[in-house]
Amino acid sequence: MKMITKKIKHCAIALAVASTAGAGFSSEVEAQELNMLAGYPSNFAWYREIGPSFIEMVEEMSEGSIQINVQGPDVVPTFEQLQPVQAGAFDLLFTHPAYHSGTTAVGLAIDAIDVDPVKRHEEGIIEYIDQHYQERGLKLISAPSTGTKGFRFYLREPITGEPGLEGRRIRGTVSYQSMIEELGGAQVNMPVTDIYTALQRGVIDGAAWGLTGASDLQWHEIIEYMTDPEFGQVGVMIFMNLDRWNALDSDAQEVLIEAGKQIEIDSVAHFDALQEKEEDFLIENGMQITSFSQSESDNHERLWAEGVWKVAEEQSGDDARQLREMAVSADMSY
C-alpha cells in the first residue's frame, strides 16, 4: 500500500500500564513499544491486508521510534477482547465492532454508512464514534473499510424465486439477521471454523460473508454459488486504550492518527482490487453467480442498512439514533 512520506522525528513514548486485578499481565511496557491485540489470526484477510500496513506506516513515519507488537485471538478470544484493552492490559485493539456489540453497537453502525473515508471525517462521523468510545476508555485511531462494498451470500443451491432465501438456513451474525429474515431465510449462528463442515453436510444452506476470504476458507470445494448484488460495507477498527493515548506526546499521537487516516483511504482501493481477484478465482474454480430478483436487488442496500441500524439502536439507543441522523443528513445512509 501507499506510504506517507512525512516523518516525525525523535518521538519518545513513556507508557505506564495500569494494574488489572487478576489479569496476570506485566505491569510495565518497554518504552517506544505498543502491544496490539488482534481479533483475527495473522493470515485472515481483513487483518493480513490492513494490520501489517498500518504498523509499517507507523514505524516509517516515526523513524522506528514507535513499534507495535501483535498478539491474536489465541491469547484472548475475539469476543472477549474489548475489556482487556479498556483495562490497559493491551495498548491497541484491531477488531470488528460487531464483536463487542453487547457493550456498545455504535461502532457496528459504521457498516451502514457509505464508504467515503474523507467524507466520514468531514461530516463528523468518525469524530462522533471516537467521542462515544472515549467515554468507554478507548480512543478510535482508525476505521478502515474492506472495499467499497462488503458482502454477498454463498449458497449450496441457486436462487430460483422470490424471496430469494426462502426456507434456507444461512449462517450469519447479528448484523445480517434482519436482512436474512427479510429475504426469507433463517439465520444460524456458528463460528467461522464450523462453516465449511456445516455447508458440506447440509446443516446450513449458505453463509453471509465478505467479498474476500471465501477462497481462503476453500468454500469453492463444496458449494457452487455466490450471489449478486454485493451489498453493505465492512468496517474494521483500531482502538487504543485512552490512558495510553493521553500518555503519548503530541508527535506520537500525530503519527498514529495520520497513519490511521491514510490506511482508511488506501484500504478501499486495495480491497476493491482483491475482491476482483477473489471473484475471478472462485469462478475459475467452479463457482457461479446466482442473482436475486430485480426488486430484491434494488432493496439490498436498504435492507442491509436498516438491519444494522436496528441492532445499533436496540443496543445503544439515542447514541446510535443520533449517529444515524448525522449519516442520513449527510446522504450516507438510510
Side-chain angles (χ1 to χ4, degrees), residues 22-36:
F25 291 96
S26 171
S27 61
E28 294 183 356
V29 175
E30 183 180 353
Q32 300 181 334
E33 291 189 358
L34 300 175
N35 293 319
M36 176 186 282

Side-chain angles (χ1 to χ4, degrees), residues 37-66:
L37 186 59
Y40 308 99
S42 60
N43 62 349
F44 188 81
W46 293 353
Y47 175 79
R48 182 186 68 221
E49 304 296 335
I50 294 176
S53 294
F54 171 76
I55 292 169
E56 186 178 347
M57 280 187 194
V58 169
E59 292 185 0
E60 180 177 329
M61 291 170 64
S62 68
E63 295 189 334
S65 63
I66 306 176

Side-chain angles (χ1 to χ4, degrees), residues 189-203:
N189 295 313
M190 66 174 59
V192 174
T193 51
D194 293 346
I195 298 176
Y196 184 98
T197 301
L199 286 170
Q200 187 178 42
R201 296 178 179 176
V203 174

Side-chain angles (χ1 to χ4, degrees), residues 8 39 56 68 72 119 181 247 257 278:
I8 307 296
E56 186 178 347
I68 299 173
K119 189 174 181 180
E181 292 173 352
I257 291 300
E278 171 111 348

